[in-house]
Amino acid sequence: MEAIAVASAAIGPYAAIIAAVGTAVSVISSVNAAQAQKQQANLQAQKLAIQAEQAKLQGRQNALNYSNQANQIFERQLKIASAARARAAAAGIDPFTGSPMTSQQADAVRAGREFQMLRENADLAVYGGLAASQDLRAASAIAGGFSTAPALLAAASTGLMGVAKFGESAKPSSTPKPAVATTTG
């Protein structure tokens, strides 16, 4: 017990300084944590911005694929119509009248519907990519808008509480301390 009393007596005059240093270290730690959170939020915002651009590009790529398929259908329809006209002409039938024409018209209508569906899919792909891109950009803005204010306020609060405790420890105690009896021998 005496060792504790001796250590306490030796540290006593420095207690206020030790408390102040501890408070300062705590405040610095809180500020560093706030900076790390801000940096992490910025990185998340950048990641989401990149994903937004990728979503937009993916939508455009899908639209190009659908447009390519539509063009292939159109070319296929042209080949079918050409072959039907050639067969009819080879048989001595006017390809632009009667049943050969009806057959070609029906093929053209089906191809036109297919072509239109693929064009609509292409438009939807572009709009879908843009919508996904906008969602990701909004998330990016939210992540990038992270404020360090709450963490800095916590650091300031810690600092002020430490100053208040330091002020309290500097005041003389209202209760008298018992005198320590020393024996001389």
Side-chain angles (χ1 to χ4, degrees):
M1 283 300 247
E2 282 185 37
I4 293 174
V6 170
S8 176
I11 295 174
Y14 304 105
I17 294 170
I18 292 170
V21 169
T23 299
V25 168
S26 178
V27 168
I28 291 169
S29 174
S30 295
V31 169
N32 285 341
Q35 289 173 340
Q37 286 175 337
K38 178 66 175 174
Q39 191 173 32
Q40 183 180 7
N42 286 340
L43 291 173
Q44 180 68 17
Q46 289 173 356
K47 176 184 172 190
L48 290 169
I50 290 169
Q51 288 176 345
E53 191 62 29
Q54 288 173 335
K56 187 168 69 171
L57 292 174
Q58 184 63 46
R60 287 182 181 171
Q61 180 63 45
N62 291 343
L64 287 173
N65 290 340
Y66 284 123
S67 293
N68 188 29
Q69 290 174 10
N71 287 334
Q72 289 172 354
I73 294 221
F74 182 69
E75 289 176 9
R76 187 183 76 210
Q77 173 55 30
L78 289 176
K79 288 178 185 176
I80 290 171
S82 295
R85 282 192 299 273
R87 277 193 310 272
I93 302 171
D94 181 7
F96 300 107
T97 60
S99 61
M101 186 61 179
T102 305
S103 171
Q104 289 178 49
Q105 286 174 338
D107 287 341
V109 167
R110 275 194 302 271
R113 285 182 187 148
E114 230 179 308
F115 182 84
Q116 185 60 34
M117 285 181 5
L118 287 169
R119 292 300 305 160
E120 288 172 2
N121 284 342
D123 290 341
L124 290 173
V126 168
Y127 297 140
L130 290 175
S133 175
Q134 288 174 349
D135 285 347
L136 289 165
R137 286 202 188 281
S140 172
I142 290 168
F146 171 77
S147 174
T148 56
L152 291 176
L153 286 173
S157 173
T158 301
L160 290 173
M161 287 175 27
V163 168
K165 286 181 182 178
F166 176 74
E168 286 177 14
S169 68
K171 291 181 192 174
S173 175
S174 61
T175 58
K177 295 185 180 178
V180 178
T182 57
T183 57
T184 54

